[in-house]
Coordinates of all heavy atoms in Angstrom, one line a residue:
M250 N 0.8 -1.2 0.0 CA 0.0 0.0 0.0 C 0.9 1.3 0.0 O 0.7 2.2 -0.8 CB -0.9 0.0 1.2 CG -1.8 1.2 1.4 SD -2.9 1.4 0.0 CE -4.0 2.5 0.7
A251 N 1.9 1.3 0.9 CA 2.7 2.5 0.9 C 3.6 2.7 -0.4 O 3.8 3.8 -0.8 CB 3.7 2.4 2.2
E252 N 3.9 1.6 -1.0 CA 4.6 1.6 -2.2 C 3.8 2.2 -3.3 O 4.3 3.1 -4.1 CB 5.0 0.2 -2.7 CG 6.1 -0.4 -1.8 CD 5.5 -1.1 -0.6 OE1 4.3 -1.4 -0.5 OE2 6.3 -1.4 0.3
D253 N 2.5 1.9 -3.4 CA 1.5 2.5 -4.4 C 1.4 4.0 -4.1 O 1.5 4.8 -5.1 CB 0.2 1.9 -4.3 CG 0.2 0.4 -4.8 OD1 1.1 0.1 -5.5 OD2 -0.7 -0.3 -4.5
A254 N 1.3 4.4 -2.9 CA 1.2 5.8 -2.6 C 2.5 6.6 -2.9 O 2.4 7.7 -3.4 CB 0.9 6.0 -1.1
L255 N 3.6 5.9 -2.6 CA 4.9 6.6 -3.0 C 5.0 6.7 -4.5 O 5.5 7.8 -5.0 CB 6.1 5.7 -2.4 CG 7.5 6.2 -2.8 CD1 7.8 7.6 -2.3 CD2 8.5 5.2 -2.2
L256 N 4.7 5.7 -5.2 CA 4.7 5.8 -6.7 C 3.8 6.9 -7.2 O 4.2 7.6 -8.1 CB 4.3 4.4 -7.3 CG 4.4 4.3 -8.8 CD1 5.7 4.6 -9.3 CD2 3.9 3.0 -9.3
A257 N 2.6 7.1 -6.6 CA 1.7 8.2 -7.0 C 2.4 9.5 -6.8 O 2.2 10.4 -7.6 CB 0.4 8.0 -6.3
I258 N 3.0 9.7 -5.7 CA 3.7 10.9 -5.4 C 4.8 11.2 -6.4 O 5.0 12.3 -7.0 CB 4.3 11.0 -3.9 CG1 3.1 11.0 -3.0 CG2 5.2 12.2 -3.7 CD1 3.4 10.8 -1.5
V259 N 5.7 10.2 -6.6 CA 6.7 10.3 -7.6 C 6.2 10.6 -9.0 O 6.7 11.4 -9.7 CB 7.7 9.1 -7.6 CG1 8.7 9.1 -8.7 CG2 8.4 8.9 -6.2
D260 N 5.1 9.9 -9.3 CA 4.5 10.2 -10.7 C 4.0 11.7 -10.8 O 4.0 12.2 -11.9 CB 3.2 9.2 -10.9 CG 3.7 7.8 -11.2 OD1 4.9 7.7 -11.7 OD2 2.8 6.9 -11.2
E261 N 3.6 12.2 -9.8 CA 3.3 13.7 -9.8 C 4.4 14.6 -9.8 O 4.4 15.7 -10.4 CB 2.4 14.0 -8.6 CG 0.9 13.5 -8.6 CD 0.2 13.9 -7.4 OE1 0.2 15.1 -7.1 OE2 -0.5 13.0 -6.9
A262 N 5.6 14.2 -9.3 CA 6.8 15.0 -9.3 C 7.4 15.0 -10.7 O 8.0 16.0 -11.0 CB 7.7 14.5 -8.2
V263 N 7.3 13.9 -11.4 CA 8.0 13.8 -12.7 C 7.6 15.0 -13.7 O 8.5 15.7 -14.2 CB 7.8 12.5 -13.3 CG1 8.3 12.4 -14.8 CG2 8.5 11.4 -12.5
P264 N 6.3 15.3 -13.9 CA 6.0 16.4 -14.8 C 6.4 17.7 -14.3 O 6.4 18.7 -15.1 CB 4.5 16.2 -15.0 CG 4.0 15.3 -14.1 CD 5.1 14.5 -13.5
A265 N 6.6 17.9 -13.0 CA 6.9 19.2 -12.4 C 8.4 19.5 -12.7 O 8.8 20.7 -12.7 CB 6.7 19.2 -10.9
Q266 N 9.2 18.5 -12.9 CA 10.7 18.7 -13.1 C 11.0 19.6 -14.3 O 11.9 20.5 -14.1 CB 11.3 17.3 -13.3 CG 12.8 17.4 -13.4 CD 13.5 18.1 -12.2 OE1 13.2 17.8 -11.1 NE2 14.4 19.0 -12.5
P267 N 10.5 19.4 -15.5 CA 10.9 20.4 -16.6 C 10.6 21.8 -16.3 O 11.2 22.7 -16.7 CB 10.1 19.8 -17.8 CG 9.7 18.4 -17.5 CD 9.6 18.4 -16.0
V268 N 9.4 22.0 -15.6 CA 9.0 23.3 -15.3 C 10.0 24.0 -14.3 O 10.5 25.1 -14.5 CB 7.6 23.5 -14.7 CG1 7.2 24.9 -14.3 CG2 6.6 22.9 -15.7
A269 N 10.4 23.2 -13.3 CA 11.4 23.7 -12.3 C 12.8 23.9 -13.0 O 13.4 24.9 -12.7 CB 11.6 22.6 -11.2
D270 N 13.1 23.1 -14.0 CA 14.4 23.3 -14.7 C 14.3 24.6 -15.4 O 15.4 25.3 -15.4 CB 14.6 22.1 -15.7 CG 15.0 20.8 -15.1 OD1 15.4 20.8 -13.9 OD2 14.9 19.8 -15.8
R271 N 13.2 24.9 -16.0 CA 13.2 26.2 -16.7 C 13.3 27.4 -15.9 O 13.9 28.4 -16.2 CB 11.8 26.2 -17.6 CG 11.8 25.4 -18.8 CD 10.7 25.7 -19.8 NE 9.4 25.4 -19.2 CZ 8.8 24.2 -19.2 NH1 9.4 23.1 -19.8 NH2 7.6 24.0 -18.7
V272 N 12.7 27.3 -14.7 CA 12.7 28.4 -13.8 C 14.2 28.6 -13.3 O 14.8 29.7 -13.3 CB 11.8 28.1 -12.5 CG1 12.2 29.2 -11.4 CG2 10.4 28.2 -12.9
V273 N 14.9 27.5 -12.9 CA 16.3 27.6 -12.5 C 17.2 28.1 -13.6 O 18.0 29.0 -13.5 CB 16.8 26.3 -12.0 CG1 18.3 26.4 -11.6 CG2 16.0 26.0 -10.7
A274 N 16.9 27.6 -14.9 CA 17.7 28.1 -16.0 C 17.5 29.5 -16.3 O 18.5 30.2 -16.7 CB 17.4 27.2 -17.2
A275 N 16.3 30.0 -16.1 CA 16.1 31.4 -16.4 C 16.9 32.3 -15.4 O 17.4 33.4 -15.8 CB 14.5 31.8 -16.2
R276 N 17.0 31.9 -14.2 CA 17.8 32.7 -13.2 C 19.3 32.5 -13.5 O 20.1 33.4 -13.2 CB 17.5 32.2 -11.8 CG 18.2 33.0 -10.8 CD 18.0 34.5 -10.9 NE 19.3 35.2 -11.3 CZ 19.4 36.4 -11.7 NH1 18.5 37.2 -11.8 NH2 20.6 36.8 -12.1
G277 N 19.7 31.5 -14.3 CA 21.1 31.3 -14.6 C 21.6 32.1 -15.7 O 22.8 32.2 -16.0
R278 N 20.6 32.8 -16.4 CA 21.0 33.7 -17.5 C 21.2 35.1 -17.0 O 20.5 35.5 -16.0 CB 20.0 33.7 -18.6 CG 19.9 32.3 -19.4 CD 19.0 32.4 -20.6 NE 17.6 32.4 -20.2 CZ 16.9 31.4 -19.9 NH1 17.4 30.2 -19.9 NH2 15.6 31.5 -19.6
P279 N 22.1 35.9 -17.6 CA 22.3 37.3 -17.1 C 21.0 38.1 -17.3 O 20.2 37.8 -18.2 CB 23.4 37.8 -18.0 CG 23.9 36.7 -18.9 CD 23.0 35.5 -18.7
G280 N 20.8 39.1 -16.5 CA 19.7 40.0 -16.7 C 18.5 39.7 -15.8 O 18.6 38.7 -15.0
P281 N 17.6 40.5 -15.8 CA 16.4 40.3 -14.9 C 15.6 39.1 -15.3 O 15.6 38.7 -16.5 CB 15.6 41.6 -15.1 CG 16.0 42.2 -16.4 CD 17.4 41.7 -16.6
V282 N 14.8 38.6 -14.4 CA 13.9 37.4 -14.6 C 12.5 38.0 -14.6 O 12.2 38.9 -13.8 CB 14.1 36.4 -13.5 CG1 13.1 35.3 -13.7 CG2 15.5 35.8 -13.5
S283 N 11.7 37.6 -15.6 CA 10.4 38.0 -15.7 C 9.5 37.7 -14.5 O 9.8 36.7 -13.8 CB 9.7 37.6 -17.0 OG 9.4 36.2 -16.8
G284 N 8.5 38.5 -14.2 CA 7.6 38.2 -13.1 C 6.9 36.9 -13.4 O 6.6 36.1 -12.4
A285 N 6.6 36.5 -14.6 CA 5.9 35.2 -14.9 C 6.8 34.1 -14.5 O 6.3 33.0 -13.9 CB 5.6 35.1 -16.3
V286 N 8.1 34.1 -14.7 CA 9.0 33.1 -14.3 C 9.1 33.0 -12.8 O 9.0 31.9 -12.2 CB 10.4 33.3 -14.9 CG1 11.5 32.4 -14.3 CG2 10.4 33.1 -16.4
T287 N 9.2 34.1 -12.1 CA 9.1 34.2 -10.7 C 7.9 33.6 -10.1 O 7.9 32.8 -9.2 CB 9.4 35.6 -10.2 OG1 10.6 36.1 -10.7 CG2 9.5 35.7 -8.7
Q288 N 6.8 33.9 -10.7 CA 5.5 33.4 -10.2 C 5.4 31.9 -10.4 O 5.0 31.1 -9.6 CB 4.3 34.0 -10.9 CG 3.0 33.5 -10.5 CD 1.8 34.2 -11.1 OE1 2.0 35.2 -11.9 NE2 0.6 33.7 -10.8
T289 N 5.9 31.4 -11.6 CA 5.9 30.0 -11.8 C 6.8 29.3 -10.9 O 6.6 28.2 -10.3 CB 6.5 29.7 -13.3 OG1 5.5 30.3 -14.2 CG2 6.5 28.2 -13.5
G290 N 8.0 30.0 -10.5 CA 8.9 29.3 -9.5 C 8.2 29.2 -8.1 O 8.3 28.1 -7.5
G291 N 7.5 30.2 -7.8 CA 6.7 30.1 -6.5 C 5.7 29.0 -6.5 O 5.6 28.3 -5.5
E292 N 5.0 28.9 -7.6 CA 4.1 27.8 -7.7 C 4.7 26.4 -7.6 O 4.2 25.5 -7.0 CB 3.2 27.9 -9.1 CG 2.4 29.2 -9.1 CD 1.9 29.5 -10.5 OE1 2.3 28.8 -11.5 OE2 1.1 30.4 -10.6
Q293 N 5.9 26.3 -8.3 CA 6.6 25.0 -8.3 C 7.1 24.7 -6.9 O 7.2 23.5 -6.4 CB 7.7 25.0 -9.3 CG 7.3 24.9 -10.7 CD 6.4 23.8 -10.9 OE1 5.2 23.9 -11.1 NE2 7.0 22.6 -11.0
I294 N 7.6 25.7 -6.1 CA 7.9 25.5 -4.7 C 6.8 24.9 -4.0 O 7.0 24.0 -3.2 CB 8.4 26.9 -4.1 CG1 9.7 27.4 -4.7 CG2 8.5 26.7 -2.5 CD1 10.1 28.7 -4.3
S295 N 5.6 25.4 -4.2 CA 4.4 24.9 -3.5 C 4.1 23.5 -3.9 O 3.7 22.6 -3.1 CB 3.2 25.7 -3.8 OG 3.3 27.1 -3.3
V296 N 4.3 23.1 -5.2 CA 4.1 21.8 -5.7 C 5.0 20.8 -4.9 O 4.5 19.8 -4.4 CB 4.4 21.7 -7.2 CG1 4.5 20.2 -7.6 CG2 3.3 22.4 -8.0
Y297 N 6.3 21.1 -4.9 CA 7.2 20.3 -4.2 C 6.9 20.2 -2.6 O 7.1 19.2 -2.0 CB 8.7 20.7 -4.4 CG 9.1 20.3 -5.8 CD1 9.4 21.2 -6.8 CD2 9.3 18.9 -6.2 CE1 9.8 20.9 -8.0 CE2 9.7 18.6 -7.4 CZ 9.9 19.6 -8.4 OH 10.3 19.2 -9.6
H298 N 6.5 21.3 -2.1 CA 6.2 21.3 -0.7 C 5.0 20.4 -0.4 O 5.0 19.6 0.6 CB 5.8 22.7 -0.2 CG 5.4 22.8 1.2 ND1 6.2 22.7 2.3 CD2 4.1 23.0 1.7 CE1 5.6 22.8 3.4 NE2 4.3 22.9 3.1
R299 N 3.9 20.5 -1.2 CA 2.8 19.6 -1.1 C 3.1 18.1 -1.2 O 2.7 17.3 -0.5 CB 1.7 20.0 -2.0 CG 0.9 21.3 -1.6 CD -0.4 21.4 -2.4 NE -0.1 21.5 -3.9 CZ 0.2 22.6 -4.5 NH1 0.3 23.8 -3.9 NH2 0.4 22.6 -5.8
L300 N 4.0 17.8 -2.2 CA 4.4 16.4 -2.4 C 5.2 15.9 -1.2 O 5.0 14.8 -0.8 CB 5.2 16.3 -3.7 CG 4.5 16.5 -5.0 CD1 5.5 16.6 -6.2 CD2 3.4 15.4 -5.2
N301 N 6.1 16.7 -0.7 CA 6.8 16.3 0.5 C 6.0 16.2 1.7 O 6.2 15.3 2.6 CB 8.0 17.3 0.8 CG 9.3 16.8 0.5 OD1 9.5 15.6 0.3 ND2 10.3 17.7 0.3
A302 N 5.0 17.0 1.9 CA 4.0 16.9 3.0 C 3.3 15.6 2.9 O 3.1 14.9 3.9 CB 3.1 18.1 3.0
R303 N 2.8 15.2 1.7 CA 2.1 14.0 1.5 C 3.1 12.8 1.8 O 2.6 11.8 2.4 CB 1.6 13.8 0.0 CG 0.4 14.7 -0.2 CD -0.2 14.7 -1.6 NE -0.1 13.4 -2.2 CZ -0.1 13.2 -3.6 NH1 0.0 14.2 -4.3 NH2 -0.1 11.9 -3.9
L304 N 4.2 12.9 1.3 CA 5.3 11.9 1.6 C 5.5 11.7 3.1 O 5.6 10.6 3.6 CB 6.5 12.2 0.8 CG 7.6 11.1 0.8 CD1 7.1 9.8 0.2 CD2 8.8 11.6 0.0
S305 N 5.6 12.8 3.8 CA 5.8 12.8 5.2 C 4.7 12.1 5.9 O 4.9 11.3 6.8 CB 6.0 14.2 5.8 OG 7.2 14.8 5.3
R306 N 3.5 12.4 5.6 CA 2.3 11.8 6.2 C 2.2 10.3 5.9 O 1.9 9.5 6.7 CB 1.0 12.4 5.7 CG 0.7 13.8 6.4 CD -0.6 14.3 6.1 NE -1.0 14.4 4.7 CZ -0.7 15.5 3.9 NH1 -0.2 16.6 4.4 NH2 -1.0 15.5 2.6
L307 N 2.7 10.0 4.7 CA 2.7 8.5 4.3 C 3.6 7.7 5.2 O 3.2 6.6 5.5 CB 3.1 8.4 2.8 CG 3.2 7.1 2.2 CD1 1.8 6.4 2.1 CD2 3.9 7.2 0.8
F308 N 4.7 8.2 5.6 CA 5.6 7.5 6.4 C 5.7 7.9 7.8 O 6.6 7.4 8.6 CB 7.0 7.6 5.7 CG 7.1 6.9 4.4 CD1 7.0 7.6 3.2 CD2 7.3 5.5 4.3 CE1 7.1 6.9 2.0 CE2 7.3 4.8 3.1 CZ 7.2 5.5 2.0
I309 N 4.7 8.6 8.3 CA 4.9 9.2 9.6 C 4.8 8.0 10.7 O 5.5 8.1 11.8 CB 3.8 10.2 9.9 CG1 4.2 11.1 11.1 CG2 2.4 9.6 10.2 CD1 3.6 12.5 11.1
D310 N 4.1 7.0 10.5 CA 3.9 5.9 11.4 C 5.0 4.8 11.2 O 5.5 4.2 12.2 CB 2.5 5.3 11.4 CG 1.5 6.2 11.8 OD1 1.8 7.1 12.7 OD2 0.3 6.2 11.3
D311 N 5.3 4.5 10.0 CA 6.2 3.4 9.7 C 7.6 3.8 9.6 O 8.5 2.9 9.5 CB 5.7 2.8 8.3 CG 4.3 2.2 8.4 OD1 3.9 1.8 9.5 OD2 3.6 2.4 7.4
G312 N 7.9 5.1 9.5 CA 9.3 5.5 9.2 C 9.6 5.4 7.8 O 8.9 4.7 7.0
F313 N 10.6 6.0 7.3 CA 11.0 6.0 5.9 C 11.8 4.7 5.6 O 12.8 4.4 6.4 CB 11.9 7.2 5.6 CG 11.1 8.5 5.4 CD1 11.3 9.5 6.3 CD2 10.2 8.6 4.4 CE1 10.6 10.7 6.1 CE2 9.5 9.8 4.2 CZ 9.7 10.9 5.1
D314 N 11.5 4.1 4.5 CA 12.4 3.1 4.1 C 13.4 3.8 3.2 O 13.4 5.0 3.0 CB 11.7 2.0 3.3 CG 10.9 2.4 2.1 OD1 11.1 3.7 1.7 OD2 10.2 1.7 1.5
E315 N 14.4 3.1 2.6 CA 15.4 3.7 1.8 C 14.9 4.5 0.7 O 15.3 5.6 0.4 CB 16.4 2.7 1.3 CG 17.8 2.7 1.8 CD 18.3 3.9 2.6 OE1 18.2 3.9 3.8 OE2 18.7 4.9 2.0
L316 N 13.9 3.9 -0.1 CA 13.3 4.6 -1.2 C 12.6 5.8 -0.8 O 12.6 6.9 -1.5 CB 12.4 3.6 -2.0 CG 11.8 4.1 -3.3 CD1 13.0 4.4 -4.2 CD2 11.0 2.9 -3.9
G317 N 11.8 5.7 0.3 CA 11.1 6.9 0.8 C 12.1 8.0 1.2 O 11.8 9.2 1.0
K318 N 13.1 7.6 1.8 CA 14.2 8.7 2.2 C 14.7 9.4 1.0 O 15.0 10.6 1.0 CB 15.3 8.0 3.0 CG 14.9 7.6 4.4 CD 16.1 6.9 5.1 CE 15.7 6.4 6.4 NZ 16.8 5.7 7.1
R319 N 15.0 8.5 0.0 CA 15.6 9.1 -1.2 C 14.6 10.1 -1.9 O 15.0 11.2 -2.4 CB 15.9 8.0 -2.1 CG 16.6 8.4 -3.4 CD 18.0 8.9 -3.2 NE 18.7 9.1 -4.5 CZ 19.7 9.9 -4.7 NH1 20.2 10.5 -3.6 NH2 20.1 10.1 -5.9
A320 N 13.3 9.7 -2.0 CA 12.3 10.5 -2.6 C 12.2 11.8 -1.8 O 12.1 12.9 -2.4 CB 11.0 9.7 -2.7
F321 N 12.2 11.7 -0.5 CA 12.0 12.9 0.4 C 13.2 13.9 0.2 O 13.0 15.0 0.0 CB 11.9 12.5 1.8 CG 11.6 13.7 2.7 CD1 10.3 14.1 2.9 CD2 12.6 14.3 3.4 CE1 10.0 15.2 3.8 CE2 12.4 15.4 4.3 CZ 11.0 15.8 4.4
W322 N 14.4 13.3 0.1 CA 15.6 14.1 -0.2 C 15.6 14.8 -1.5 O 15.8 16.0 -1.6 CB 16.8 13.2 0.0 CG 18.1 13.9 -0.2 CD1 18.8 14.6 0.8 CD2 18.9 14.0 -1.4 NE1 19.9 15.1 0.3 CE2 20.0 14.8 -1.1 CE3 18.7 13.6 -2.7 CZ2 21.0 15.1 -2.0 CZ3 19.7 13.8 -3.6 CH2 20.8 14.6 -3.3
L323 N 15.2 14.1 -2.6 CA 15.1 14.6 -3.9 C 14.1 15.8 -4.0 O 14.3 16.8 -4.5 CB 14.8 13.6 -5.0 CG 16.0 12.6 -5.2 CD1 15.5 11.4 -6.1 CD2 17.1 13.3 -5.9
L324 N 12.9 15.5 -3.4 CA 11.9 16.6 -3.4 C 12.3 17.8 -2.6 O 12.1 18.9 -3.1 CB 10.5 16.0 -2.9 CG 9.8 14.9 -3.8 CD1 8.7 14.3 -3.1 CD2 9.4 15.5 -5.1
S325 N 12.9 17.5 -1.5 CA 13.4 18.7 -0.7 C 14.5 19.5 -1.5 O 14.5 20.7 -1.3 CB 14.0 18.1 0.6 OG 13.0 17.5 1.4
C326 N 15.4 18.8 -2.1 CA 16.4 19.5 -2.9 C 15.8 20.3 -4.0 O 16.2 21.5 -4.2 CB 17.4 18.5 -3.6 SG 18.6 17.8 -2.4
H327 N 14.8 19.8 -4.7 CA 14.1 20.6 -5.8 C 13.5 21.9 -5.1 O 13.6 22.9 -5.7 CB 13.1 19.8 -6.5 CG 13.7 18.7 -7.4 ND1 14.6 19.1 -8.4 CD2 13.5 17.4 -7.5 CE1 14.9 18.0 -9.0 NE2 14.3 16.9 -8.5
Q328 N 12.8 21.6 -4.0 CA 12.1 22.7 -3.4 C 13.1 23.8 -3.0 O 13.0 25.0 -3.2 CB 11.4 22.3 -2.1 CG 10.6 23.3 -1.4 CD 9.8 22.7 -0.3 OE1 9.7 21.5 -0.1 NE2 9.4 23.6 0.5
R329 N 14.3 23.4 -2.4 CA 15.3 24.4 -1.9 C 16.0 25.1 -3.1 O 16.2 26.3 -3.1 CB 16.4 23.7 -1.0 CG 15.9 23.4 0.3 CD 17.1 23.0 1.2 NE 17.8 21.8 0.8 CZ 17.5 20.6 1.0 NH1 16.4 20.3 1.7 NH2 18.2 19.6 0.5
I330 N 16.3 24.4 -4.2 CA 16.9 25.0 -5.3 C 16.0 26.1 -6.0 O 16.4 27.2 -6.3 CB 17.3 23.9 -6.4 CG1 18.4 23.1 -5.8 CG2 17.6 24.6 -7.7 CD1 18.8 21.9 -6.6
L331 N 14.7 25.7 -6.1 CA 13.7 26.6 -6.6 C 13.6 27.9 -5.7 O 13.5 29.0 -6.2 CB 12.4 25.9 -6.8 CG 12.2 25.1 -8.0 CD1 10.9 24.3 -7.9 CD2 12.1 26.1 -9.2
H332 N 13.6 27.6 -4.4 CA 13.4 28.7 -3.5 C 14.6 29.7 -3.6 O 14.4 30.9 -3.6 CB 13.4 28.2 -2.0 CG 13.0 29.2 -1.0 ND1 13.8 29.8 -0.3 CD2 11.8 29.5 -0.7 CE1 13.2 30.6 0.5 NE2 11.9 30.5 0.3
Q333 N 15.8 29.1 -3.7 CA 17.0 30.0 -3.9 C 16.9 30.7 -5.3 O 17.3 31.9 -5.3 CB 18.3 29.2 -3.8 CG 18.6 28.7 -2.5 CD 18.8 29.8 -1.4 OE1 19.5 30.8 -1.8 NE2 18.2 29.6 -0.3
A334 N 16.5 30.1 -6.3 CA 16.4 30.8 -7.6 C 15.5 31.9 -7.6 O 15.7 33.0 -8.1 CB 16.0 29.7 -8.7
V335 N 14.3 31.7 -6.9 CA 13.3 32.7 -6.8 C 13.8 33.8 -5.9 O 13.6 35.0 -6.3 CB 11.9 32.2 -6.3 CG1 11.0 33.3 -5.9 CG2 11.4 31.2 -7.4
N336 N 14.4 33.5 -4.8 CA 15.0 34.6 -4.0 C 16.0 35.4 -4.7 O 16.1 36.6 -4.6 CB 15.6 34.0 -2.7 CG 14.6 33.6 -1.7 OD1 13.4 34.0 -1.8 ND2 14.9 32.8 -0.7
F337 N 16.9 34.7 -5.4 CA 17.9 35.4 -6.2 C 17.3 36.3 -7.3 O 17.7 37.4 -7.4 CB 18.8 34.3 -6.8 CG 20.1 34.9 -7.4 CD1 20.9 35.7 -6.7 CD2 20.5 34.4 -8.6 CE1 22.1 36.3 -7.3 CE2 21.6 34.9 -9.2 CZ 22.5 35.8 -8.6
A338 N 16.2 35.8 -7.9 CA 15.6 36.6 -9.0 C 14.9 37.8 -8.4 O 14.7 38.8 -9.1 CB 14.6 35.7 -9.7
C339 N 14.4 37.7 -7.2 CA 13.6 38.8 -6.5 C 14.5 39.8 -5.7 O 13.9 40.6 -5.1 CB 12.5 38.2 -5.7 SG 11.3 37.3 -6.6
A340 N 15.8 39.5 -5.7 CA 16.6 40.3 -4.8 C 16.5 41.8 -5.3 O 16.6 42.2 -6.5 CB 18.0 39.9 -4.9
T341 N 16.2 42.7 -4.2 CA 16.1 44.1 -4.6 C 17.5 44.8 -4.7 O 17.7 45.8 -5.4 CB 15.4 44.9 -3.5 OG1 16.1 44.6 -2.2 CG2 13.9 44.4 -3.4
H342 N 18.5 44.2 -4.2 CA 19.9 44.6 -4.4 C 20.8 43.5 -4.9 O 21.4 42.8 -4.0 CB 20.5 45.2 -3.0 CG 19.7 46.3 -2.5 ND1 19.6 47.5 -3.0 CD2 18.8 46.3 -1.4 CE1 18.8 48.3 -2.4 NE2 18.3 47.6 -1.3
P343 N 20.8 43.2 -6.1 CA 21.6 42.1 -6.6 C 23.0 42.2 -6.2 O 23.6 43.2 -6.2 CB 21.4 42.2 -8.1 CG 20.3 43.1 -8.3 CD 20.1 44.0 -7.2
D344 N 23.6 41.0 -6.0 CA 25.0 40.9 -5.7 C 25.8 41.1 -6.9 O 25.7 40.3 -7.9 CB 25.3 39.6 -5.0 CG 26.7 39.4 -4.6 OD1 27.6 40.2 -5.1 OD2 27.0 38.5 -3.7
P345 N 26.6 42.1 -7.0 CA 27.3 42.3 -8.3 C 28.3 41.2 -8.6 O 28.5 40.9 -9.8 CB 28.2 43.6 -7.9 CG 27.7 44.2 -6.7 CD 26.9 43.2 -6.0
R346 N 28.8 40.4 -7.7 CA 29.7 39.3 -7.9 C 28.8 38.2 -8.6 O 29.3 37.6 -9.6 CB 30.3 38.7 -6.7 CG 31.3 39.7 -6.1 CD 31.7 39.3 -4.7 NE 30.5 39.2 -3.9 CZ 30.5 38.7 -2.6 NH1 31.5 38.2 -2.1 NH2 29.3 38.8 -1.9
A347 N 27.6 37.9 -8.2 CA 26.7 37.0 -8.7 C 26.4 37.3 -10.2 O 26.4 36.5 -11.1 CB 25.5 36.7 -7.9
E348 N 26.0 38.6 -10.4 CA 25.6 39.1 -11.7 C 26.9 39.0 -12.7 O 26.7 38.6 -13.8 CB 25.2 40.5 -11.6 CG 23.8 40.6 -11.0 CD 22.7 39.9 -11.6 OE1 22.6 39.8 -12.9 OE2 21.8 39.3 -10.9
A349 N 28.0 39.3 -12.2 CA 29.3 39.1 -13.0 C 29.5 37.7 -13.4 O 29.9 37.4 -14.5 CB 30.5 39.7 -12.2
A350 N 29.3 36.8 -12.5 CA 29.5 35.4 -12.8 C 28.4 34.9 -13.8 O 28.8 34.1 -14.7 CB 29.3 34.5 -11.5
L351 N 27.2 35.4 -13.7 CA 26.2 35.0 -14.7 C 26.6 35.6 -16.1 O 26.4 34.9 -17.1 CB 24.8 35.6 -14.3 CG 24.2 34.9 -13.1 CD1 22.9 35.6 -12.7 CD2 23.8 33.5 -13.4
S352 N 27.2 36.7 -16.1 CA 27.6 37.3 -17.4 C 28.7 36.6 -18.1 O 28.8 36.5 -19.3 CB 28.0 38.8 -17.2 OG 26.9 39.5 -16.7
R353 N 29.5 36.0 -17.2 CA 30.7 35.3 -17.8 C 30.2 33.9 -18.4 O 30.9 33.3 -19.1 CB 31.7 35.0 -16.7 CG 32.5 36.2 -16.3 CD 33.7 35.9 -15.5 NE 33.4 35.3 -14.3 CZ 33.2 35.9 -13.1 NH1 33.3 37.2 -13.0 NH2 32.9 35.3 -12.0
G354 N 29.0 33.4 -17.9 CA 28.5 32.2 -18.4 C 29.1 31.0 -17.8 O 29.2 29.9 -18.1

């Protein structure tokens, strides 16, 4: 039963990945990031947060098995990377060193 629920969560995470990749890639290019990209990033953060919350509830009584731990770690990483990309995109005082690094490619 838990395996089926874990598979369902992972199945929902798979289509979210390309969207998350586009958000992170947009921040990796020099120049400002559009509001639409930032909004999409925020939405994707919520997607990964909800998936991790479901995963946590799934294993709250039984503990995580190795596959559950790995899924939780991966979803958490995606959520943190997106959060950092959105924060970086929304910075009111961009770090000149970071902008210079982006310009160098």
Side-chain angles (χ1 to χ4, degrees):
M250 177 65 165
E252 292 84 12
D253 292 338
L255 175 59
L256 183 59
I258 291 168
V259 172
D260 281 346
E261 287 182 47
V263 169
Q266 182 60 45
V268 179
D270 287 346
R271 286 192 296 275
V272 170
V273 172
R276 184 51 249 170
R278 291 188 288 275
V282 176
S283 74
V286 169
T287 303
Q288 181 177 356
T289 300
E292 292 165 356
Q293 289 304 108
I294 291 167
S295 295
V296 167
Y297 286 112
H298 176 75
R299 283 192 303 272
L300 291 171
N301 253 342
R303 284 177 45 206
L304 188 58
S305 293
R306 284 191 302 272
L307 178 64
F308 290 100
I309 201 151
D310 293 328
D311 301 326
F313 284 114
D314 61 8
E315 243 354 91
L316 190 55
K318 287 178 186 176
R319 182 76 173 154
F321 187 82
W322 182 82
L323 288 170
L324 292 173
S325 295
C326 284
H327 287 307
Q328 184 179 344
R329 282 192 305 273
I330 290 167
L331 280 165
H332 193 265
Q333 289 299 318
V335 169
N336 281 346
F337 190 49
C339 294
T341 55
H342 302 290
D344 183 341
R346 293 171 298 171
E348 291 299 322
L351 289 173
S352 296
R353 287 191 299 268

